[in-house]
Amino acid sequence: MIRYRRPADRRTRPERWDDAVGELVSLQAYYAGWWEVLPDSLRGTATAEALQAIVELDLDALAAIVPPRGYGRD
């Protein structure tokens, strides 16, 4: 049996943070588009409520955070 190692993630923690926040913002925009085209007959459903909750999240606070580099390298 041959085992392959997964490549190590070479991104720094701040890069990983930025990528994660960027992914959340991207997903929020996707769900906002989905919510906008939702038919009126589905507006009162659990799906619509979940989409609205995602759209209403304020991700600006997350995007504004600059994580510390650590060990006095700030």
Side-chain angles (χ1 to χ4, degrees):
M1 174 183 243
I2 298 174
R3 294 183 185 213
Y4 294 98
R5 284 187 161 180
R6 293 177 47 187
D9 190 352
R10 301 280 185 206
R11 297 175 296 165
T12 64
R13 286 187 187 111
E15 288 172 339
R16 289 171 38 208
W17 176 264
D18 290 341
D19 291 346
V21 171
E23 181 69 18
L24 285 173
V25 169
S26 174
L27 284 170
Q28 186 183 41
Y30 172 78
Y31 288 126
W34 183 10
W35 187 80
E36 289 174 4
V37 298
L38 202 63
D40 289 336
S41 62
L42 298 177
R43 291 288 174 163
T45 63
T47 300
E49 291 175 9
L51 289 172
Q52 186 174 7
I54 292 170
V55 169
E56 291 175 352
L57 284 174
D58 183 14
L59 297 179
D60 293 335
L62 281 178
I65 295 173
V66 178
R69 294 175 59 194
Y71 298 109
R73 295 180 292 194
D74 295 338

